Amino acid sequence: AQSVAQPEDQVNVAEGNPLTVKCTYSVSGNPYLFWYVQYPNRGLQFLLKYITGDNLVKGSYGFEAEFNKSQTSFHLKKPSALVSDSALYFCAVRDIGVNTGFQKLVFGTGTRLLVSP
Amino acid sequence: DADVTQTPRNRITKTGKRIMLECSQTKGHDRMYWYRQDPGLGLRLIYYSFDVKDINKGEISDGYSVSRQAQAKFSLSLESAIPNQTALYFCATSGPGNTIYFGEGSWLTVV
């Protein structure tokens, strides 16, 4: 089964500093990887995805993610953090049912990002 | 207006009561999902639906049922709510692409 792991429950960074939120994956076949963000009292918002092509994927709000096949990682990054980036971030991988062909997402446990002024 | 709308957004109910969470979407997608979010566990899939005639159990379907009333509507029911069903519930949709779009969530508290 496809899975992702987010090893950090929380990441703390000062505003203006670069940030990284880690994600590793375990899949059979080629991975389709996603990052979502959940702001307080809001739903999940799609940030970016990797399907194929360039290993560096650019997404919303200045975020980007680097796909690394040898390390089976898909870390989320931003060059300069903002206080408003404080939120809960989820990594996810697409899973397709063997018998149904139905696509669904399998999520990591989430990483809370706190950006201090 | 939101593309995926959930009602109610917040609900407190008593143990043993029946509760329904409703979801409607304006994206024209065939696939719809119900996920549950718990702290430290991420999101787990409850049920998913290919279309109005195809409904499938996810990883945590016990204690839940669903109804796909139309392409745009997918409701989740707790027939007899229990306290460990207290969680944030998300409806989601996806179309031909690979991206899944989520509603804003429904907070359910079972006391």
Side-chain angles (χ1 to χ4, degrees):
Chain A
Q2 323 288 55
S3 66
V4 290
Q6 295 181 244
E8 303 156 315
D9 290 335
Q10 184 165 305
V11 170
N12 298 304
V13 64
E15 188 173 33
N17 284 355
L19 70 87
T20 298
V21 183
K22 296 179 180 178
C23 174
T24 58
Y25 65 88
S26 175
V27 303
S28 55
N30 295 320
Y32 284 26
L33 297 160
F34 302 78
W35 276 101
Y36 284 81
V37 59
Q38 185 180 20
Y39 296 104
N41 301 316
R42 300 293 302 276
L44 274 76
Q45 297 179 30
F46 169 74
L47 274 180
L48 51 81
K49 64 183 177 185
Y50 172 82
I51 305 298
T52 186
D54 289 342
N55 290 340
L56 187 64
V57 180
K58 294 189 181 297
S60 306
Y61 312 122
F63 284 92
E64 57 191 24
E66 186 172 11
F67 173 71
N68 188 317
K69 188 172 182 178
S70 63
Q71 298 186 0
T72 62
S73 67
F74 188 57
H75 300 334
L76 182 69
K77 300 182 179 184
K78 188 173 183 181
S80 179
L82 300 172
V83 172
S84 57
D85 292 330
S86 298
L88 187 57
Y89 291 82
F90 288 97
C91 181
V93 63
R94 186 187 74 167
D95 186 29
I96 296 181
V98 174
N99 296 321
T100 66
F102 193 90
Q103 168 188 281
K104 60 184 185 289
L105 289 182
V106 177
F107 285 85
T109 53
T111 299
R112 187 164 300 280
L113 174 67
L114 291 178
V115 181
S116 55
Chain B
D1 289 338
D3 293 324
V4 183
T5 303
Q6 295 182 228
T7 57
R9 294 292 312 281
N10 291 281
R11 177 62 59 88
I12 300 174
T13 192
K14 294 183 178 180
T15 297
K17 292 292 187 182
R18 183 178 187 273
I19 180 80
M20 178 183 288
L21 306 179
E22 297 183 337
C23 176
S24 63
Q25 53 113 346
T26 58
K27 299 186 77 69
H29 290 164
D30 286 327
R31 300 170 192 145
M32 296 189 74
Y33 312 75
W34 276 103
Y35 280 88
R36 168 179 170 160
Q37 182 183 2
D38 296 277
L41 295 178
L43 279 81
R44 295 178 291 166
L45 184 63
I46 307 173
Y47 270 95
Y48 58 98
S49 171
F50 258 123
D51 59 34
V52 294
K53 298 179 181 178
D54 192 334
I55 293 175
N56 302 275
K57 293 182 177 180
E59 57 183 309
I60 54 163
S61 59
D62 288 348
Y64 301 95
S65 63
V66 291
S67 174
R68 186 81 184 266
Q69 301 95 327
Q71 185 204 38
K73 296 184 181 295
F74 192 37
S75 60
L76 176 72
S77 294
L78 288 68
E79 297 300 327
S80 180
I82 56 177
N84 75 3
Q85 290 178 313
T86 293
L88 178 59
Y89 291 86
F90 284 107
C91 176
T93 74
S94 70
N98 296 293
T99 303
I100 294 180
Y101 299 91
F102 287 83
E104 295 207 336
S106 296
W107 281 101
L108 177 65
T109 302
V110 183
V111 298

